[in-house]
């Protein structure tokens, strides 16, 4: 019924604002009745929400659920994470992928302690100053942590707005979506509004061909099997379990046939701060 009201709101004078308000009702109704329960939605602790937002970058909810609980148990606050050894943070991160985020969240905790007195900064600008935090993630952290009515786009936001406002359109630009998000956002309850959008977007993905394929920014994810990303993950896993290793033994353990490719990856990981090379052996920093 509410979706039908949205369809009717698309026509007539003032259609844009009416449709946005109608969509707000659809989202809020959906969240009240079918919103998902997640540990990071049941806390106001800025640290815990920050951890969840970093984990949820490029990683699905179900994979995050278990790792989140384990990570919080091991590193319960900014002081604990800041003081941790990098190898321990990487070990706790295993299974989430995109391990650069582990380095970023570790360094972010140190910056929070050193620069912001142990308190997560409140402004989007200051949040963006933390490693690995772009404008969209900074805005989402501000919304979920401080209930600020920030306007941002992520994959589920994009999916919902393309589905409702751009049916039959290809190449939809984020610049077209942002004003609609701003108009639809519930300024009194931005946290719950965005949770509802996330959950509604997840439902849409299961029921319809993914609307995000019609986004101008859509790109298929490259295959993981045989990718540099897979090799990098193996490097960390082997070094975590076996300790320092020379190049030949490490590459053999990685099952990398192309030695040159393997060595290039190792040198990149040295430059990025994942591993160190000493006396012909590689070890985690």
């Amino acid at each position: 019924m509410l979706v039908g009201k949205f369809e009717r709101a698309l026509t007539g004078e003032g259609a844009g604002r009416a449709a946005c308000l109608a969509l707000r009702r659809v989202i809020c109704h959906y969240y009240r009745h079918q919103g998902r329960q997640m540990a990071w939605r049941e806390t106001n602790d800025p640290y815990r929400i920050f951890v969840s937002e970093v984990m949820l970058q490029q990683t699905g909810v179900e994979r995050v659920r278990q790792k989140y609980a384990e990570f919080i148990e091991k590193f319960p606050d900014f002081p604990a994470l800041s003081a941790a050894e990098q190898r321990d943070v990487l070990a706790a991160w295993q299974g989430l992928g995109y391990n650069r985020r582990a380095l970023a969240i570790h360094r972010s905790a140190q910056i929070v302690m050193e620069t912001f007195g142990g308190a997560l900064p409140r402004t989007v600008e200051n949040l963006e100053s933390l490693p690995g935090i772009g404008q969209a993630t900074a805005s989402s952290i501000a919304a979920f942590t401080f209930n600020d009515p920030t306007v941002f786009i992520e994959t589920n936001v994009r999916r919902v707005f393309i589905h409702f406002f751009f049916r039959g359109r290809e190449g939809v630009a984020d610049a077209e979506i942002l004003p609609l998000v701003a108009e639809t956002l519930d300024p009194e309850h931005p946290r719950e509004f965005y949770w509802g959008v996330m959950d509604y977007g997840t439902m849409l993905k299961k029921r319809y061909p993914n609307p995000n394929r019609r986004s101008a920014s859509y790109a298929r994810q490259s295959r993981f099997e045989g990718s540099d990303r897979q090799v990098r993950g193996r490097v960390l896993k082997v070094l975590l379990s076996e300790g320092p290793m020379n190049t030949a033994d490490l590459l053999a353990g990685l099952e990398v046939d192309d030695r040159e490719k393997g060595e290039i990856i190792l040198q990149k990981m040295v430059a990025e701060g994942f591993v160190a090379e000493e006396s012909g052996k590689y070890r985690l920093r």
Side-chain angles (χ1 to χ4, degrees), residues 45-47 50-51 54 77-82 104-122 126-127 129-131 133 141 146:
D45 183 343
Y47 170 76
F50 177 76
V51 169
V54 175
D77 50 31
F78 281 118
L81 180 56
S82 173
I105 199 172
H106 186 213
R107 182 58 189 143
S108 290
Q110 293 171 340
I111 293 172
V112 167
M113 297 304 298
E114 296 164 2
T115 305
F116 298 104
L120 186 70
R122 290 190 62 99
N126 282 337
L127 287 166
S129 73
L130 299 176
I133 304 299
I141 292 169
F146 306 116

Side-chain angles (χ1 to χ4, degrees), residues 3 10 25 46 78 119 137 140 176 206 208 229 252 263 285:
V3 174
L10 281 173
R25 288 191 288 272
F78 281 118
T137 301
S140 71
E176 299 176 83
K206 295 175 180 178
Y208 300 93
R229 192 156 55 92
E263 291 178 345
R285 284 191 181 274

